[in-house]
Structure formats: structure tokens, C-alpha cells
Amino acid sequence: QVQLVESGGGLVQAGGSLRLSCAASESTFSTYTMGWFRQAPGKEREFVARISWSGSVTKTADSVKGRFAISRDNAKNTVYLQMNSLKPEDTAVYYCAARARYRGYSDSERAWDHWGQGTQVTVSS
């Protein structure tokens, strides 16, 4: 079972940037679609972005479109989330997730197979 470890979270002022990383334990990383989700206090976990196994197909949520970008490096078994122009409403725990690529794409958290432990992102106003 693939293990995912997120890093890069922290405290940043509004308008600032952060880059999250998610390192996977398996060399079969390229067989997974990768995604990022987030969960703010008192709210349900929501989809942020996903990327195909090759990196050629990406999708970001409307709430972060134009500010966040997902990418991956299969040679390093790592997926990234570049977050720019951060807003206080981006404050949340950010989770990395993996879904076997043969299963297709989904934005529903229930459809993802493996999860990281999460990393806290706090944006101050």
C-alpha cells in the first residue's frame, strides 16, 4: 500500500505563497492519479486539484483556479501544489491522495484509495 507524506505547510500572510509536497513510498507512483484535498475547521473535506499519471491532464477547483497549480515529478515520486495569492479562506489542513489510474478520474474524496496525514496551512489577514 502506497504511503504518502505531505510537507511544506505553515503560516503565511495573505497574498503570500507556499508550495506543498507529497512524497510517495512506492516506485509505482506513476500508476496513480494524484490529488490534493483540504479540510477547514467545521467543514467537510473538499477537492482542490488533481493530476493524471503522466502530468498531462490537470484539474483545479474553481475556488483556487488561477492561484493554485498542481504538478508532479515521477522520477522523485512526488506531487506538488503551488499556492499563490493565498487568502485567509485557504486556511485548512491539506491532504494528498492517490487513486489507481485505471479507475479514471474523480473529484469525490470517497473515490480515492490512499491518503496522507495532512499538513496545516494557515493564512493570516
Side-chain angles (χ1 to χ4, degrees), residues 22-97:
C22 172
S25 61
E26 292 190 357
S27 59
T28 55
F29 177 72
S30 64
T31 66
Y32 292 94
T33 297
M34 298 300 297
W36 287 96
F37 289 75
R38 68 185 182 184
Q39 187 168 21
K43 296 186 177 180
E44 294 187 351
R45 193 176 300 185
E46 65 173 0
F47 167 78
V48 175
R50 58 171 162 82
I51 187 167
S52 63
W53 68 273
S54 65
S56 61
V57 178
T58 63
K59 180 181 178 181
T60 51
D62 289 342
S63 59
V64 303
K65 195 163 292 184
R67 301 187 298 121
F68 290 13
I70 188 171
S71 62
R72 67 190 295 163
D73 185 338
N74 286 345
K76 295 182 178 180
N77 292 351
T78 302
V79 61
Y80 305 96
L81 184 68
Q82 178 66 46
M83 305 186 295
N84 299 324
S85 302
L86 283 160
K87 304 175 181 180
E89 51 263 44
D90 295 319
T91 295
V93 178
Y94 283 71
Y95 297 91
C96 173

